[in-house]
Structures are given as C-alpha cells and as structure tokens.
Amino acid sequence: MFKHALLESVKAWMADPVHQALPLHARLQRGLRQLILDGQLAAGRPLPASRALAQSLAVSRDTVETAYSQLHAEGFITRHVGSGSWVSQQARSLPVRPAVPPAATAPQLSRRGQAMLAAGGVSDFPAPHAFVPGVPETRNFPLPAWERLQRQVLKEYGHRALQHSPAQGMLPLRQAIADYVNLERGARATPEQVLVLTSSQQALGLCAQVLLDPGDRVLIEDPVYHGARRAFDAAGLVCQPVPLDADGMQMQHLAAAPSAQAMFLTPSHQYPTGATLSLERRLAAIAWAREHQTWILEDDYDSEFHYAGKPTACVQGLDAHGRTLYIGTFSKSLFPGLRLGYMVLPPALVAPMTVARSLQDGHSAPLAQLTLARFIEGGHLGAHIRTMRTVYAHRRDVLARLLRTHLADWLEPQVPAGGMQMACHLRGGLPEAQLVAAAARAGITLAGLSALYSGTPRHQGVLMGFAAHSPMELEAGVRRLAEVLRTLPRPA
C-alpha cells in the first residue's frame, strides 16, 4: 500500500480546484503520473491493488481501473493479470523534476528573434485606458445593422461561410474595398489588386519580408510610427530617418540620403505629428520612386477622420508608375476586434504577396469578410464614418480646451487636423519619462514622443488619444492627470 504521504499527495492533486474540470479518473491518472515524474514512485515499485486504492480514495473501483489502464497505455506502469501493477522500468530514464524549479535561463534565439525581443511588440489594449492613442469608440457602432447583415450572409452562404477563405480574400470584399478606396481616397484599384489581411501591421511585415532583404535600406519619417519601425527592424532592414516639417517628409533630403529600396509614408495624417504631406512632396516621392525603381509603402491608417475639408487623395492614386503599395485597415474606422485590413498592390506583386500571406496565417475569416462587404455596399461604413468624424472632432476640441485649462503649465497641445490622437509638447522643463511614469501609476496611458524619433528628439512630449473617450471621461482623465502632476517636484 502507499505510504500515507503519497496517498495524501494524490488526494490533494485530485481535490485541487485547478483540476476540477477533469473527470475523476483523469485527475487520479494525472496525480499518479505526477508522482512518477517527480521520482516519488520509483521504477519497479508496486502500486496498490485497484480495490484497495479505491477504498482509500473513496472512489469506485472502475475509476481506479480506468486511471491504471491509461497509465499502462502511456507506458508509465506495467500490469499483469493476477500479479498486480508496477511502475514501468522505463521510468528509470525519465528525468526527475527538481523540487525547486531551476532559475530561468535566457532562451537561445535567432538574431531576428533577439532583435524582435529587444524592440518590443506592438501593444493592443483590451479596454481603452485613458488617453491610449489610436483606439476608436466602439459604443457608437451600429451593432443591429451588423448583426442583420451577418444573418443574411449565413442564410445565403450557409456552411460555406464557415470554411476557408482564399488567401487573397473573398471576392465580394475585395470588390467593395476597391470601390470604396477609389471613391473616397482617390485610389486606382481593381478587386484583383486587393489583398485582404488581418491588420496593417501584417501588411508592413509582408512588405518588409517580400520586397526587401536583410541589410536593405528603407527611408522612414522621423518621428515614425513605432509599428513600422519594429517591423522593419525585425526583418533586418536599415532604417534611414528623414526629417519632417509642417508639410510632412522633407523630400529635399532624399538627394543626400544613401540609396534605399523603399520609402515608408503616412501622408494623409503623419504619425505622430499629424502633418499632411503636401501635393508637391507627394509628386516628388513618386518621381523619386520611379527614378530609383524603389517602392513607396503608403500607410493610410486613419485618413477617414479629417476634420477640415476633404482628405487629400492618396499617393497610390497619383502614382502612374505602379511603385506604391497602399495599406489600409478597418480597425480604426470600425472596431479593433474585426481584425481586417488590406493592401492595394501593383499587379505584379499580387501573386508573391498572396503566397507569402498564405504561409503566415493562411486567410481571414470568411464570415467577417462577407459581412463587411455588405456593410460597405449598403452605405453603412460611410454613414458610420461621417457620424464618428463629427464625434471625434468634438472630442478633439474638448481635449484641447481641457489641456489649456488644467495642464497649461506642463503641456502644449498640437491640435491635429485629423486622426484619433493629439501630440502634446512638454513645457516647464518636466522630463518626459517622469511624466509618463507618474501617469502610469495613476492608471493613465501616455505614449512618449521621444521613442518615436530615430535620433535626438526634436520635441519632448506625449501622444494623447481622444477618440475612445466621452467628454466627461476626457475631463475626468485630465483632472486626474493634473492632480498627479501637482505632486511632482518642480524642475530646478
């Protein structure tokens, strides 16, 4: 029979709430297996008869028999009719688990893995904390319309909506996206040029891996969207920063820049400054790409939300030479949980990009694609964007007023013409890192501007999201931040 201590170990394992979802025989089987793995039941040791163990544990004999049968099938014990059960001799070769887990050691990563870990990931926020940038308001989303369209899709497509999608995406959605960007963004797209993806981040990763080799150079805005920089770094690319001014990337610097194989732009609403690339500079970028036979990666991440006049036409629509890859997402205009983005590709890149995408995650869910296609075709996307454009413009103005009223000693808002976040420059000599850390302790998320620069930061400051918060929530957040800042020591 078991020693008392071993019997109590099995009882404790079976009674642990963590294992309550398992059937009783599985809990017993795993408890015994754990004793063998820990070396407490050595090879060749006899196990109690099933009837005796059942009595000791107050379970049925069938429960013990089922547990023993599973252990026998897995090779942990041997059984002979009329002779009983023993711990298998194979247990001698099992590594004994130490009572105290060894200290964690750094895993051996590839150079690419090390670079990705060092750079850090791109954070998503399950719930919108105060001032998280780039997060849309989801409480205004027309759920009844979405649910109705999804039911229509299920009724028409049935089980086909639950199967795999083509790697390039469902044709109805590719058609709807092409029509939408042609009408609203001045693009020149056909459904055959559209590749449906999960996100703009996936698009950036594909561009970095399919178009460029490690060591190739890509021109980036300075400051730049951190997700793009990390995608390029992870692919082993060399990022060459180009400074900005009020009209976007300063194209006159391209002549002095080393040769590059690509250029990354956020022309409609530069991240994080909010600048709009002028038409003259858009044409200069296109001419540069044609002359050097390089690619323009145009990220149009939240161009729908422009609060003064109509948005400027995208670079892709101006490029007659087919050197521009246009990247868009519905995570900003609709809701992050949709996980649908896209690229409009030059025709020659459709096949290689689609193959590369198939090697990543294969496809996007057909049900969501088909529902979104009808959402766009029915005019719901346009209507929702018009509604949210008004909502976000009001929230932008509310945040700017609150900052000037309560935080004028510390922050100077740079009110953007569009987008979902506002850059704020520091005043009074307060260190950026100190401000971000103090806000985090109060549950407020502020993104520092310095980390978005490649070299010496031109401005110290923070990026404050306003889209996901009502005016009352914005006011509560600003007042809480003001209380935090008042507790900080004044710079000398």
Side-chain angles (χ1 to χ4, degrees):
M1 188 57 192
F2 273 171
K3 290 182 179 179
H4 178 72
L6 294 179
L7 186 64
E8 291 302 313
S9 293
V10 174
K11 288 181 178 179
W13 211 97
M14 294 174 66
D16 191 330
V18 174
H19 310 133
Q20 289 301 306
L22 295 173
L24 194 58
H25 67 84
R27 280 183 265 163
L28 173 57
Q29 176 255 334
R30 296 190 187 189
L32 292 171
R33 184 178 65 184
Q34 193 66 45
L35 291 176
I36 296 172
L37 291 172
D38 291 343
Q40 297 184 58
L41 287 177
R45 177 166 182 164
L47 296 177
S50 58
R51 187 186 304 276
L53 185 56
Q55 291 175 349
S56 299
L57 296 175
V59 298
S60 72
R61 187 179 179 187
D62 285 345
T63 296
V64 178
E65 281 293 333
T66 303
Y68 277 5
S69 296
Q70 184 62 30
L71 288 169
H72 182 227
E74 293 176 350
F76 285 95
I77 68 173
T78 57
R79 308 191 75 190
H80 299 285
V81 177
S83 300
S85 304
W86 294 268
V87 178
S88 170
Q89 293 298 326
Q90 297 176 21
R92 295 185 188 277
S93 61
L94 292 173
V96 177
R97 299 186 181 184
V100 178
T105 57
Q108 293 184 348
L109 303 177
S110 67
R111 286 191 294 272
R112 184 183 298 108
Q114 293 171 4
M116 293 170 67
L117 179 62
V122 179
S123 299
D124 289 322
F125 298 90
H129 300 174
F131 308 126
V132 169
V135 178
E137 175 63 88
T138 56
R139 291 169 292 190
N140 293 44
F141 184 75
L143 275 174
W146 184 269
E147 291 172 348
R148 175 173 52 81
L149 294 172
Q150 184 169 269
R151 287 195 299 271
Q152 290 179 8
V153 169
L154 287 170
K155 184 176 181 180
E156 179 177 340
Y157 285 83
H159 68 275
R160 289 179 296 154
L162 310 179
Q163 296 175 352
H164 283 79
S165 160
Q168 189 177 348
M170 302 295 285
L171 179 57
L173 180 56
R174 291 192 283 116
Q175 180 69 65
I177 289 172
D179 291 344
Y180 176 76
V181 297
N182 290 343
L183 177 64
E184 298 292 338
R185 300 297 301 119
R188 295 192 298 178
T190 66
E192 292 72 29
Q193 292 176 261
V194 176
L195 173 62
V196 177
L197 301 167
T198 57
S199 65
S200 57
Q201 192 65 34
Q202 184 182 34
L204 292 169
L206 281 172
C207 291
Q209 294 177 29
V210 175
L211 301 180
L212 306 166
D213 288 316
D216 281 353
R217 192 175 301 272
V218 55
L219 302 180
I220 61 172
E221 302 160 325
D222 192 27
V224 71
Y225 169 55
H226 57 283
R229 180 64 184 262
R230 289 172 184 174
F232 300 151
D233 287 345
L237 307 182
V238 177
C239 293
Q240 176 68 40
V242 180
L244 309 173
D245 61 19
D247 290 324
M249 181 182 280
Q250 299 179 33
M251 297 298 168
Q252 67 269 24
H253 290 275
L254 299 188
S259 60
Q261 285 70 44
M263 172 192 292
F264 174 73
L265 293 175
T266 52
S268 297
H269 178 238
Q270 202 277 330
Y271 189 100
T273 66
T276 298
L277 191 65
S278 67
L279 176 61
E280 179 184 2
R281 294 186 183 181
R282 291 173 189 238
L283 297 176
I286 293 169
W288 174 86
R290 180 192 182 191
E291 179 183 355
H292 295 86
Q293 289 297 289
T294 57
W295 302 107
I296 298 174
L297 312 180
E298 179 181 12
D299 188 354
D300 212 29
Y301 66 103
D302 64 1
S303 62
E304 294 91 350
F305 303 116
H306 199 275
Y307 311 127
K310 290 186 67 65
T312 309
C314 65
V315 172
Q316 191 270 354
L318 301 172
D319 181 6
H321 314 295
R323 306 301 307 178
T324 302
L325 291 78
Y326 179 87
I327 301 170
T329 177
F330 295 102
S331 294
K332 310 296 186 188
S333 55
L334 295 179
F335 55 94
L338 183 58
R339 303 309 296 154
L340 285 175
Y342 59 92
M343 279 197 289
V344 177
L345 299 164
L349 292 182
V350 173
M353 284 289 189
T354 301
V355 168
R357 190 277 163 91
S358 74
L359 295 172
Q360 291 190 345
D361 59 348
H363 69 106
S364 297
L367 181 57
Q369 291 188 62
L370 295 168
T371 304
L372 177 56
R374 296 193 178 202
F375 193 82
I376 298 172
E377 294 163 357
H380 302 286
L381 174 62
H384 181 63
I385 287 173
R386 287 191 294 273
T387 298
M388 300 315 296
R389 189 180 291 142
T390 301
V391 170
Y392 293 165
H394 176 60
R395 293 180 179 184
R396 175 203 61 173
D397 296 342
V398 167
L399 178 59
R401 175 178 55 79
L402 289 168
L403 292 173
R404 290 172 179 140
T405 301
H406 300 285
L407 296 172
D409 291 342
W410 297 279
L411 294 174
E412 180 182 351
Q414 309 297 303
V415 183
M420 305 164 71
Q421 54 272 325
M422 182 183 301
C424 299
H425 296 165
L426 285 177
R427 305 178 65 178
L430 178 67
E432 178 186 299
Q434 186 177 358
L435 168 61
V436 172
R441 289 193 294 271
I444 298 172
T445 301
L446 297 178
L449 292 179
S450 295
L452 303 179
Y453 284 87
S454 297
T456 302
R458 184 177 177 185
H459 295 288
Q460 295 272 323
V462 293
L463 203 58
M464 302 180 72
F466 53 80
H469 310 290
S470 69
M472 290 182 61
E473 291 166 339
L474 290 171
E475 181 170 3
V478 168
R479 289 184 179 274
R480 190 162 72 252
L481 182 57
E483 292 174 1
V484 170
L485 293 178
R486 292 190 191 101
T487 66
L488 298 179
R490 289 282 184 175

